[in-house]
Structures are given as structure tokens and as C-alpha cells.
Amino acid sequence: MIVVMKTTASQESIQQTAQRIEELGLKAHIIEGTERTVVAAIGDKRNGEQTSLATLPDVEKVVTISAPYKMASRESRAEETVIQVLDLKIGGGHIGLIAGPCSVESEEQLLQTATFVKEAGATGLRGGAFKPRTSPYSFQGMKEEGLQILATARDMTGLAIVTEVVSPMDVDLVSRYADVLQIGARNMQNYSLLQAVGDTDKVVLLKRGPSATMDEFLLAAEYILDQGNPNVILCERGVRTFETHTRFTLPLASVPYLKQRTHLPVIVDPSHGTGIASLVAPMSAASVAVGCDGLIVEVHPNPSEAKSDGPQSLTPQQFGAMVQQCKTVANAMGVGLG
Ligand code: PEP
Ligand code: MN
């Protein structure tokens, strides 16, 4: 349920509404909009609450939210959530550009990539220090040393650092270095990890699980929002299908679909979505055309020597060309990119 307060509602009435919601055994979340405040009442539905809340001072109306994801739903917040961290802006008519290697491999590799992607127009730098690999024998990442290299790259370039956290145990450590905590596709339904990042004040980039439905994806985001962290970015990164010509199948209809259902920004990862470098630029341009709020792309100075995901990584030159192509589409769409 959403309790919509009058535009003139006092802080006292808002607090009183939240208190009444808690007394009813529900959880109250105050959501401040530019025009008015709404108070979400989350929990199992019981009878009579709606009327009891509707009569409180300064309450305009009480609306039932039909979606199972209450806080993430458009019904709870009509305005788009816009994420801004350093110069990385995602949403609100701006397509944020995050680029960098799949994994941090060395200081030289990362700093070189960071310099290139910044020059090409990126405002976020990606790079995994903790890698969730399908095989336990594959490169698992440089861990804290990798995080230190990422922090050096931020100091040098001003790029916002996006890096994955794979375990609730590491959330504090990764948060000390990262600007954006990435939750990988394999961990989309790791609920204790979602709650742990929900307890931080960091922006969270949540990737769609390769077999997750839209409702499961949005309910995963709900776990983070429910802990009190409103800064969540959704990332479509492809799903598993019968098809094998690409690594995953990248369903771009999920972008406008999600944007109709949620106020959270939606970005696309065409690198994991296709697994093939030559398909990354066309799918990035297509993502811009369907209204994405950002792109996250793998770039490596020498893809053939990458320790992970070389076949889908762009060279810095290819990335530069991709940005130009996306800018043309972004201009046509009347949105900014970078
Ligand atoms: C990654 O971003 O390198 C990664 C492992 O992505 P995903 O979780 O989408 O597979
Ligand atoms: Mn990767």
C-alpha cells in the first residue's frame, strides 16, 4: 500500500503516518518526491488498514500496489530514480557509460584502459577484483590488490569505480574502494548478499540472473531497497536460451518493459549479452535506441591476452568507434551519453 500525503503535508503528519503503519505491524518507508511525499506500507496485507490510514491528518489517499515488488514499482514512485556518482550519471535523460576490463590484471593494464576509456567519453570504470568464475581453476581475480589498483585509477582519472562483490563477508572491504557495488548475474538471488549491500550507502548495480524472470529480477532489487538503500541500477546482461550463436541471448525488450514497471534506471551489458566483440557496438546502439539509461562494456588493451572474457572485449579503438556510433543514436533520441 502507498499512503499519498498532501503536497502541503507537515513533517509531523508524515512521521505520524509512518508510526501508525508500524503500529499496524507493517514496515514504513518514507519516499520523498519533488512534489509530494508518499509513505509505503510494506508487509502482509490485512483488512481494515486502508481505511484506518486514509483518515490520518494530511493523507490524500491510500493506494494499493498490485505489483509484488512494492518499493521498486512505478506505482510507488512515478519519478525516475537518477543515479549520480562522481561524473557518472545514469538516468534522467542521460546514458551513463561504464567501460573497462572484465578483470583487473595489473596496474599497467588497468591504468592504460582507464586512460583510453576516459578519453573516449566514459565516466565509469569497470574491473573485477573478485571474480565469480564458472570453474574453480579459472583466474579468480586480484582481490584487495585489484581494489587498490582501481582506487589508483580513480585518483588518476576521476572515473567512478564499478566492481563486483561476491560475498556478504567482502561487502565492507569492497565498499572501502568502490563507488558502485556490482552484484553479478550468478548472485542475483543471493539474498543475504542483497541485504548486505542494501545496508550500505553505495550505489548497487544489480545484474539480471541468466534465468531470472522480470518479476524475480525486480524482487531481487526489492531486497536492496527494503534494507533502506534506494540507489539501485538494474542491468540486463542476457539470458540463457536454446540458442548458441551468442554466449547469452540479449533481450532488449526488457529495457522498455522494466522502465514501464519500475522507476529504477536500466542499463545494458552487451559484452556478456553477446559474448562476441563484433556484436557489442551494434547491440550498444540498439540499447540506446530502446531507451537504456546506461551501458557497461568490456574493454581490454589486448583482448587476445585477457585473463577473462577476451573474445567479448573491445580494443580501446573499437570502443572509441562504438561511442561515436552510440552518440549518433543518442542525439537522435535527444539524450546525453557519457
Ligand atoms: C562481469 O561483469 O564480468 C560478470 C561476471 O558479469 P555477469 O555477472 O553478468 O556474468
Ligand atoms: Mn566479464
Side-chain angles (χ1 to χ4, degrees), residues 102 126 131-132 164 182 184-186 207 237 272 298 309:
C102 177
R126 62 149 293 146
K131 293 304 298 177
E164 182 163 352
Q182 177 175 325
R186 293 158 186 80
K207 289 197 154 192
R237 48 78 73 210
H272 293 86
E298 288 185 342
D309 289 348

Side-chain angles (χ1 to χ4, degrees), residues 24-333:
L24 288 165
L26 300 167
K27 204 161 162 182
H29 279 287
I30 299 174
I31 307 169
E32 278 168 25
T34 45
E35 265 186 33
R36 64 175 80 232
T37 296
V38 303
V39 189
I42 314 287
D44 279 341
K45 219 161 129 193
R46 267 161 266 158
N47 292 329
E49 292 145 355
Q50 201 156 344
T51 27
S52 122
L53 292 167
T55 54
L56 290 174
D58 285 343
V59 168
E60 187 163 294
K61 59 181 175 184
V62 181
V63 189
T64 312
I65 304 179
S66 48
Y69 36 89
K70 307 296 177 192
M71 305 274 297
S73 132
R74 270 272 180 200
E75 295 162 271
S76 73
R77 190 184 149 99
E79 299 156 39
E80 280 184 23
T81 293
V82 180
I83 302 286
Q84 172 102 46
V85 36
L86 302 179
D87 289 336
L88 174 64
K89 186 176 173 199
I90 293 183
H94 193 88
I95 299 173
L97 202 50
I98 304 164
C102 177
S103 311
V104 180
E105 298 169 8
S106 69
E107 186 165 279
E108 194 196 354
Q109 168 245 19
L110 190 77
L111 298 187
Q112 204 183 338
T113 314
T115 312
F116 268 122
V117 300
K118 176 161 177 155
E119 241 173 59
T123 46
L125 176 67
R126 62 149 293 146
F130 288 86
K131 293 304 298 177
R133 303 305 300 280
T134 303
S135 163
Y137 308 120
S138 301
F139 176 59
Q140 301 286 313
M142 291 180 78
K143 315 260 163 51
E144 189 165 5
E145 200 188 339
L147 295 173
Q148 283 161 352
I149 296 174
L150 285 162
T152 306
R154 175 183 42 218
D155 292 346
M156 205 179 83
T157 59
L159 292 167
I161 300 303
V162 182
T163 195
E164 182 163 352
V165 56
V166 294
S167 149
M169 262 172 2
D170 299 326
V171 169
D172 282 346
L173 172 70
V174 180
S175 297
R176 285 207 288 279
Y177 296 94
D179 299 299
V180 178
L181 300 175
Q182 177 175 325
I183 301 293
R186 293 158 186 80
N187 271 317
M188 190 207 82
Q189 284 176 311
N190 180 340
Y191 298 119
S192 49
L193 180 59
L194 297 176
Q195 285 173 326
V197 296
D199 285 335
T200 71
D201 57 5
K202 293 282 169 186
V203 174
V204 179
L205 190 163
L206 177 66
K207 289 197 154 192
R208 178 186 185 180
S211 63
T213 63
M214 288 284 112
D215 274 12
E216 286 165 342
F217 190 18
L218 287 163
L219 282 165
E222 189 81 5
Y223 265 88
I224 303 167
L225 301 175
D226 188 48
Q227 291 303 113
N229 185 346
N231 300 313
V232 178
I233 303 162
L234 300 172
C235 178
E236 173 58 81
R237 48 78 73 210
V239 290
R240 177 141 300 165
T241 68
F242 57 84
E243 186 53 80
T244 53
H245 78 292
T246 47
R247 184 178 177 193
F248 292 92
T249 295
L250 185 58
L252 289 184
S254 60
V255 176
Y257 179 88
L258 284 166
K259 291 189 65 70
Q260 286 166 22
R261 295 284 174 297
T262 178
H263 52 86
L264 297 173
V266 182
I267 72 167
V268 177
D269 174 348
S271 306
H272 293 86
T274 63
I276 302 171
S278 64
L279 301 182
V280 171
M283 291 313 280
S284 298
S287 304
V288 173
V290 295
C292 75
D293 297 304
L295 290 165
I296 179 165
V297 175
E298 288 185 342
V299 178
H300 194 284
N302 191 352
S304 61
E305 278 171 23
K307 288 196 175 161
S308 57
D309 289 348
Q312 68 194 34
S313 298
L314 301 184
T315 62
Q317 289 70 22
Q318 287 169 331
F319 178 67
M322 183 212 102
V323 176
Q324 290 317 312
Q325 197 177 336
C326 289
K327 276 200 172 144
T328 309
V329 184
N331 285 342
M333 302 282 296

